[in-house]
Amino acid sequence: MARRHDAQLSMAQSRRPVTNDRLPAIAGGLFVLALISAFIGTAVVSLLSVGEETSGLAIAGDAVVRRVLWFTLLQAALSTLISVAAAVPVARALTRQSRFPGRRWLIRLMAVPMGLPVLIGALGIVGIWGRQGIVNDLLVWLGAGERFSIYGLSGILIAHVFFNMPLATRLLLAGLERIPTEYWRTSASLGMGGLAIFRFIEWPVLWRVIPGIAGLIFMLCATSFTLVLVLGGGPAAATIEVAIYQALRLDFDPVRAVSLAFLQVVVTAAILGAMALFPAPTDPGATLGGVARRFDGRTLLSRLGDGIVILAAAFFLVLPLGQVLVAGLRSDLVKLFSDAAVLHAAASSLAVGLSAALVSVLVGIAVIRARTALAAGRRRRPLAGLVSMALSAISSLVLLVPTAVLGTGWFLVLRAEGDVARFAPIVVVCINALMALPFAMRVLAPAFEEHRRRTDRLCDSLGMAGLARLRLIDWPVLRRPVLTALSFAMALSLGDLGAVALFGSENLTTLPWLIYNRMGAYRNQDADGLALVLGLVCLLLALAGTPETKRKESRDAG
């Protein structure tokens, strides 16, 4: 009996430190929750305090605001329609022609626009579709009367399709590749033609995922800033976020900026609410694995048609990327990086990007640890449930309160204090960290959850907690997902132009802001060289941010 009592006492003592670890984790989560709430709340309160001109009636009665809202929704709807409509035949062709030469590399290429800074993609599109680009030269050679302009609605649509059609293709391809092989055997035994296969097999699968994909793309296009700023061509073609920037930085009309900021929140909330009605598209990376054997698409006509579709998609993606590479190599990179302004912008970009990435990852870890600690309690108390729900929602709050809204609120706060430039770097870092937080959480949360399930009982039995557990158990396993989230968050921050566009100055000039200024000053060769360097850095970081499991699956598929 004495030995059993001693064993029970020893076990209770060994478990006590693990239980006590819950309190610091919960405290850290509450601290992060308070900081993010204060940061967002301060911006919102500053918007509310501007004046009565920002009432709902004033917003509805402003002709400029109505015009901006109409253009925002119009370009988002058209971009979504074209992107999804173009992605359907590309995904079908890639599914039917599983042995198409270079198929695996084309699918990988479709991930490049997602890791490429938007400003770099815009430069490549201007080089191909602009007045002196390949497309206009070809049209003139074919007898077209005059060259068309890339600036305006047409340029915005081309750019949005360039970035979103590959995303839609990968998501649709993931759905099509999950169709069981038995379906294709049955269709072959019944002698079903291409139209019947699309109607009875492919379309039911596509229809289940298209609404979620369309909602995601519509959200991205409705909140688009950089592409519209570069390719819009002026106030006549401006989304809400661009109009906010123009109202603050160009016209200095805080009242209109606040009206537009509230309108942006309403539009974003409506889109998020609509997206919640449909299942979210998942698993875009599982498009290189086992492809079900299909028996259609083997005729010469089918192969020719699918080949034309695949090659057209490949050229649409490759040409702008190749333009960035060729134009960048033509510039004098040595001379460019001996420029003090370029070195200052590079240093500022690295400082802002690394700081934002570190803040985003640390906040994500704190939120995950707090949620885990709250879930580990023996009694599920209502207050703990509410805190856990708040922690889960805080990482996605930036989707409801976008960058332009946060930037506008803090711009008004700092302007009231009389020193915008002094605190601008801190605000930009915080906004970029919040922008990257949902992506960091998407990488960190599954890894931490899986690691917790595997190691909690072992650590409880050993009485291991605190720094000892971190050094011996947690860090060796979680190091890779933490570095993955860090590199991906840094890539997002390095390529961002949204926050720094409001706060950029001589003291705060990042590489995207410098590229935009050089483009405005018609120093296109400098912009091309900087774009090449920034694009390569962001792509390398995004590649480093690709989980190793997916890379292994890709190698196995090859």
Side-chain angles (χ1 to χ4, degrees), residues 508-549:
L508 180 59
T509 302
T510 60
L511 283 177
W513 183 240
L514 183 62
I515 293 172
Y516 178 71
N517 287 335
R518 295 286 169 95
M519 291 173 61
Y522 298 102
R523 299 174 63 178
N524 293 331
Q525 193 173 18
D526 289 354
D528 292 334
L530 294 172
L532 175 62
V533 174
L534 178 62
L536 289 176
V537 171
C538 290
L539 284 177
L540 289 175
L541 286 171
L543 181 62
T546 302
E548 184 67 23
T549 55

Side-chain angles (χ1 to χ4, degrees), residues 240-272:
I240 299 175
E241 293 208 12
V242 172
I244 292 172
Y245 164 78
Q246 293 170 344
L248 283 180
R249 291 299 297 261
L250 303 182
D251 304 330
F252 196 72
D253 188 349
V255 173
R256 176 163 290 164
V258 171
S259 299
L260 291 165
F262 283 130
L263 182 62
Q264 178 76 347
V265 173
V266 172
V267 170
T268 306
I271 297 173
L272 289 174

Side-chain angles (χ1 to χ4, degrees), residues 108 111-112 114-115 170 284-286 288 443 480-481 483-489 491 538-555:
R108 289 178 175 176
V112 171
M114 291 183 282
R170 288 172 63 88
L288 300 175
V443 175
R480 185 176 297 278
L483 294 179
T484 294
L486 185 68
S487 61
F488 198 75
C538 290
L539 284 177
L540 289 175
L541 286 171
L543 181 62
T546 302
E548 184 67 23
T549 55
K550 289 186 179 180
R551 288 192 222 166
K552 183 178 179 181
E553 289 172 1
S554 300
R555 289 196 299 267

Side-chain angles (χ1 to χ4, degrees), residues 93-371:
L94 288 171
T95 307
R96 297 206 304 176
Q97 308 302 330
S98 59
R99 296 183 180 181
F100 188 87
R103 176 184 183 273
R104 180 180 58 178
W105 292 104
L106 177 59
I107 295 173
R108 289 178 175 176
L109 178 66
M110 289 183 177
V112 171
M114 291 183 282
L116 189 73
V118 176
L119 183 60
I120 313 305
L123 275 173
I125 290 169
V126 171
I128 297 299
W129 295 83
R131 282 192 171 274
Q132 306 302 321
I134 296 175
V135 175
N136 263 313
D137 289 343
L138 180 61
L139 291 177
V140 171
W141 182 75
L142 292 174
E146 60 182 57
R147 297 173 180 267
F148 73 90
S149 175
I150 188 65
Y151 299 101
L153 179 60
S154 59
I156 294 171
L157 294 180
I158 292 172
H160 279 159
V161 173
F162 170 78
F163 279 96
N164 295 314
M165 185 271 289
L167 172 63
T169 299
R170 288 172 63 88
L171 294 172
L172 292 173
L173 192 57
L176 290 175
E177 288 183 349
R178 285 194 288 265
I179 296 177
T181 305
E182 289 76 15
Y183 284 35
W184 307 120
R185 292 175 180 171
T186 303
S187 67
S189 65
L190 294 175
M192 296 174 64
L195 183 60
I197 289 175
F198 176 75
R199 179 184 175 185
F200 294 108
I201 298 179
E202 293 177 321
W203 180 245
V205 175
L206 295 174
W207 178 245
R208 285 196 295 269
V209 296
I210 280 178
I213 296 171
L216 174 61
I217 294 176
F218 189 91
M219 179 73 174
L220 295 173
C221 296
T223 57
S224 179
F225 175 77
T226 303
L227 286 177
V228 181
L229 182 65
V230 175
L231 300 174
T239 57
I240 299 175
E241 293 208 12
V242 172
I244 292 172
Y245 164 78
Q246 293 170 344
L248 283 180
R249 291 299 297 261
L250 303 182
D251 304 330
F252 196 72
D253 188 349
V255 173
R256 176 163 290 164
V258 171
S259 299
L260 291 165
F262 283 130
L263 182 62
Q264 178 76 347
V265 173
V266 172
V267 170
T268 306
I271 297 173
L272 289 174
M275 289 176 62
L277 301 177
F278 303 100
T282 58
D283 200 17
T287 57
L288 300 175
V291 180
R293 184 184 179 189
R294 297 183 57 159
F295 300 93
D296 59 328
R298 294 184 177 183
T299 65
L300 179 61
L301 184 62
S302 297
R303 291 181 179 180
L304 181 61
D306 290 340
I308 292 174
V309 170
I310 294 172
L311 289 177
F315 277 112
F316 183 71
L317 293 177
V318 168
L319 288 179
L321 298 176
Q323 168 64 24
V324 173
L325 178 61
V326 172
L329 292 176
R330 287 177 180 172
S331 64
D332 191 347
L333 295 175
V334 175
K335 179 182 177 181
L336 191 61
F337 277 88
S338 63
D339 187 347
V342 173
L343 295 177
H344 174 72
S348 298
S349 291
L350 290 175
V352 170
L354 182 58
S355 301
L358 286 172
V359 171
S360 182
V361 170
L362 291 175
V363 167
I365 292 174
V367 169
I368 293 169
R369 292 186 71 244
R371 287 191 333 207

